[in-house]
Amino acid sequence: MNARRPLRTEDAGTVLARHQGLFDDSPLRRAATLAAPAGILGFTIFAVWWLAIPFSQIGPGLASLGKFIALMFPPSSGGHLDLLLKAMGETLAIAFLGTLIATVVAFPISFLAAKNTTPHGAVRFVIRRGLDTIRGVDALIWALVFVGVVGLGPFAGILAIAVSDTGALGKLFSEAIESTEERARESVLASGGTSLLAVRFGLLPQILPIIAGQILYFFESNVRSATIIGIVGAGGIGLQLSEQIRTYDFDQVAFAVIMILVTVAIIDWISGKLRFAIIGQRAIV
C-alpha cells in the first residue's frame, strides 16, 4: 500500500484562496449578524413603551396573587361535586363532538387543498385561503360569535371548536396528503385502477396513521379549549369556573382546576398510548 502523500503547500494555499470568502468577516456580514438581535431588542423596548406596561404594579399584584392562592387551600367542592362532575362531562362531550365535526368536514376539504389531489390550482388557492381565514380567528372569538347566534350553552361551544379546528385540521390533512409518495398511486393506476381506487389504496394507507395521531392530539387540546370557551358562556366546567371566580369561592376554583388537570392528564396518557400504537401499526404495515 502506498503511503499517503503529504499535502503540498501550494495546494493548501490554493484551497484557502478559493474559500477565502468563508473566513472573511466583512463589515456587512458583521452588521447582518448584529441586525437580528438588535432589531428584537429595539422592538421589545418599543412594545414596552407603547403598551405603557406598569412595572410598579408587579409587587402589589404578586401580593394579591398570594392572597388568592391562600384562599384556594384547602380545595373544596362546596357541596357541588355532582354539578362539577356533570360540567366536566359536558366539557368532554363538547371537545369530542367539536373535534368529530371538524374531522368530518376537514377530511374531504383537505383533498381539494392538496396540490397533488386538487382538480385545479384555483380551487386549491380558494380552499387554502378559506382555511387560513377560519384558522386565523381564535376559538374563543368563535365562541363569542356563536353564543350570540345560538345562545348560551354547550351547542355554541361545539360549533366554536368545530369551526376553529376545521381550518387547522384541513391544513394539516392537506400537508399530510402532499407528503405522500406518488409511486403507490401510480402503481394502482398502472394496474388499471381508477383515480378513486388510487386514492383509496395508494394514498389513504399512507395518511390515515398521521391523521389519526393529529385527531387524538386535537381532542386532547380541545378539552382545554372547551374549558376556556366555557367562561364566555359556551357551557362546560369553564362556566362553573367563571361563576366561582366571580363569587370569590377560590377553594372551589382550586377544586375545579384540579379536576381539569387530572382529566387532561388522563386523556394525555390515553392518547399517547393510542398514538404509539398507531405508529407501531404503521411501522408494521
Side-chain angles (χ1 to χ4, degrees):
M1 183 186 300
N2 295 329
R4 182 181 296 177
R5 293 185 301 173
L7 185 64
R8 293 180 298 175
T9 305
E10 58 270 24
D11 291 341
T14 303
V15 173
L16 181 61
R18 186 182 305 123
H19 302 284
Q20 188 64 39
L22 299 175
F23 301 97
D24 289 340
D25 194 10
S26 64
L28 181 60
R29 179 173 296 178
R30 289 197 299 268
T33 303
L34 296 175
I40 294 173
L41 178 60
F43 185 76
T44 301
I45 295 173
F46 172 77
V48 171
W49 170 80
W50 179 260
L51 298 174
I53 297 178
F55 291 102
S56 60
Q57 296 182 9
I58 294 179
L62 291 176
S64 299
L65 179 61
K67 294 178 182 178
F68 291 152
I69 293 176
L71 292 173
M72 289 183 176
F73 294 94
S76 172
S77 64
H80 305 299
L81 180 60
D82 293 342
L83 181 62
L84 291 174
L85 290 174
K86 180 182 177 181
M88 192 70 243
E90 193 174 84
T91 296
L92 291 173
I94 291 172
F96 174 77
L97 291 176
T99 307
L100 179 63
I101 294 172
T103 301
V104 172
V105 175
F107 184 72
I109 291 178
S110 63
F111 286 90
L112 300 176
K115 61 183 178 181
N116 55 338
T117 55
T118 189
H120 195 274
V123 175
R124 178 177 182 268
F125 177 82
V126 172
I127 296 296
R128 281 277 188 172
R129 299 295 75 78
L131 293 176
D132 291 342
T133 302
I134 294 174
R135 192 174 64 254
V137 180
D138 189 76
L140 184 61
I141 306 300
W142 285 116
L144 290 171
V145 171
F146 286 116
V147 164
V149 173
V150 301
L152 299 173
F155 187 44
I158 293 171
L159 293 176
I161 290 178
V163 173
S164 177
D165 281 6
T166 296
L169 287 176
K171 177 179 184 297
L172 293 174
F173 290 174
S174 64
E175 290 177 351
I177 293 172
E178 290 176 348
S179 65
T180 56
E181 296 183 0
E182 290 295 326
R183 288 180 298 177
R185 294 175 59 195
E186 292 172 354
S187 299
V188 176
L189 293 174
S191 62
T194 63
S195 299
L196 183 61
L197 291 177
V199 171
R200 167 63 183 85
F201 295 102
L203 190 147
L204 288 183
Q206 299 183 60
I207 65 172
L208 286 181
I210 300 174
I211 288 177
Q214 292 170 343
I215 293 171
L216 289 173
Y217 172 77
F218 266 76
F219 171 63
E220 171 196 334
S221 177
N222 284 336
V223 174
R224 296 186 290 270
S225 299
T227 301
I228 300 300
I229 64 177
I231 295 178
V232 299
I237 199 169
L239 183 59
Q240 299 299 323
L241 196 61
S242 176
E243 292 295 327
Q244 292 163 356
I245 294 174
R246 188 176 297 112
T247 57
Y248 288 87
D249 294 323
F250 288 102
D251 56 340
Q252 298 179 40
V253 170
F255 189 87
V257 169
I258 291 173
M259 286 184 61
I260 296 169
L261 292 177
V262 171
T263 302
V264 171
I266 293 173
I267 294 175
D268 178 60
W269 181 80
I270 294 175
S271 62
K273 293 291 184 180
L274 291 175
R275 279 196 294 268
F276 279 117
I278 291 171
I279 293 174
Q281 185 66 29
R282 183 187 181 192
I284 294 175
V285 174

